[in-house]
Amino acid sequence: MDADTAFQQQALAEARAAAAAGEVPIGAVLVHEGQVIARSGNRTIRDCDPTAHAEMVVLREAARLLGNYRLADTTLYVTLEPCSMCAGAMIQARVARLVYGCDDPKGGAVRSCFEVLSNPKLNHQVAFTPGVLAEECAAVLQSFFATRR
């Protein structure tokens, strides 16, 4: 198993934990020098915070742990294509790479609705690899929303 798949499986575990807590099941892990330094699922309901997306939570935690708001040489693994808020935070943090599972046709800011991470007008671009465990990531979301309809 390659590293991207292994780390994405950890993000999927975070997504499943978020679903069990009643949150939209999106999970993220941030990797630095081959080690997971932060992990989380969505916490918007738990924290009463519309910005507590999984990506934002791990970026905040990693910055705190590393003692630096710049997260150069990190890779963010997330189960769903990030929104514009999360993509903007990745640029501000100087995340080097993003790996995500399924596309978000209604709000994705990597390639589905917007192309924030590769916009040449911005001062930083983030390399990205889409589609890692896409089917599994989509299934977790579909199952979660099917039980709420």
Side-chain angles (χ1 to χ4, degrees), residues 89-108:
M90 283 184 266
I91 289 166
Q92 294 302 316
R94 304 300 192 267
V95 169
R97 182 171 176 247
L98 166 71
V99 175
Y100 72 88
C102 54
D103 289 327
D104 182 359
K106 294 183 179 180

Side-chain angles (χ1 to χ4, degrees), residues 32-114:
H32 182 254
E33 297 179 351
Q35 301 296 316
V36 173
I37 58 170
R39 65 180 64 237
S40 185
N42 270 3
R43 295 186 350 197
T44 56
I45 297 168
R46 184 190 99 174
D47 293 357
C48 292
D49 180 355
T51 70
H53 291 191
E55 302 97 308
M56 300 295 287
V57 174
V58 300
L59 292 174
R60 287 180 188 129
E61 179 65 10
R64 187 185 66 74
L65 288 171
L66 294 175
N68 192 340
Y69 70 103
R70 298 288 195 220
L71 301 173
D73 301 321
T74 61
T75 299
L76 179 64
Y77 293 83
V78 64
T79 56
L80 181 68
E81 179 182 6
C83 70
S84 56
M85 172 185 67
C86 294
M90 283 184 266
I91 289 166
Q92 294 302 316
R94 304 300 192 267
V95 169
R97 182 171 176 247
L98 166 71
V99 175
Y100 72 88
C102 54
D103 289 327
D104 182 359
K106 294 183 179 180
V110 177
R111 67 180 189 169
S112 295
C113 293
F114 308 104

Side-chain angles (χ1 to χ4, degrees), residues 9 11-23 25-27 79 136-137 140:
Q9 286 180 332
L12 264 168
E14 293 297 325
R16 290 183 182 108
E23 298 277 359
I26 299 168
T79 56
E136 294 92 328
C137 294
V140 170

